[in-house]
Amino acid sequence: MLIRERSEKSSSVPTTRGPSGTHGEVVRADADDDAATKAGHAERPGDQGPEAAEPIAIDVLTIEQTITLALGASRGQLQVSALVDLGVRLRGHIALLREPARKAADGMWHGGTEWHRHIARLDGIERQMAQAPSPLPFAALIEVQLMARDCRWLLDGYREGWR
């Protein structure tokens, strides 16, 4: 398990690629694909070269900052553009964290309550990610805050090695 902590400030944020709902493809918003690969972000599955064996580094600090922003979004004026941006960033983070969570579930005993709770939560997160974002400001705020809580659960589990 590889965790990369960011110590310097960067203007790049993980975003999703493509309007078709392919939110599993995370790239850097201001860099080319080669720089994104070196920075530890995933490319499209068909574009991976010999470096594909390396695990993807998960930027814990950036994810925590996004979660904090999303959970505190209701304290100021509701700007739909800011909510859309937070939603896109959270979707990218969830896409990164979902893979280790699925692998952890595969390693659990499939008849236990712990496995059932884990799988049920992951399935719920995936169903939520498959839905289109709401264009209404209040509904978008609620969706972003729910995604932030799901992202927090995934990040906490990732840090703890899925208990």
Side-chain angles (χ1 to χ4, degrees):
M1 183 174 328
L2 179 65
I3 299 177
R4 187 184 80 193
E5 305 247 348
R6 183 185 299 210
S7 59
E8 73 278 357
K9 295 282 183 179
S10 175
S11 63
S12 64
V13 292
T15 60
T16 58
R17 181 184 296 176
S20 63
T22 56
H23 51 270
E25 302 169 349
V26 179
V27 296
R28 291 176 62 95
D30 64 346
D32 61 358
D33 286 341
D34 292 333
T37 303
K38 291 176 187 169
H41 296 284
E43 289 185 14
R44 284 173 271 160
D47 291 346
Q48 294 179 353
E51 300 169 357
E54 292 182 21
I56 296 174
I58 294 181
D59 190 351
V60 173
L61 291 178
T62 300
I63 295 172
E64 284 180 343
Q65 290 171 352
T66 305
I67 291 169
T68 302
L69 285 172
L71 292 175
S74 64
R75 293 189 185 111
Q77 287 236 339
L78 297 179
Q79 296 180 0
V80 177
S81 62
L83 291 174
V84 168
D85 179 54
L86 282 171
V88 168
R89 290 164 58 183
L90 285 167
R91 285 178 186 270
H93 297 324
I94 289 170
L96 280 175
L97 293 167
R98 199 173 48 198
E99 181 75 23
R102 279 283 170 196
K103 287 182 181 176
D106 290 342
M108 294 177 178
W109 179 59
H110 289 229
T113 56
E114 184 71 26
W115 172 81
H116 180 69
R117 286 183 187 138
H118 190 90
I119 287 298
R121 181 83 188 255
L122 281 175
D123 289 346
I125 291 170
E126 289 176 358
R127 278 192 304 275
Q128 189 68 25
M129 294 300 102
Q131 294 180 2
S134 175
L136 303 173
F138 187 69
L141 172 66
I142 299 303
E143 288 173 356
V144 162
Q145 290 182 341
L146 289 174
M147 277 193 289
R149 286 184 175 90
D150 289 339
C151 193
R152 168 70 65 198
W153 179 79
L154 288 167
L155 184 62
D156 288 346
Y158 178 79
R159 280 185 173 157
E160 296 172 11
W162 297 103
R163 298 154 187 79

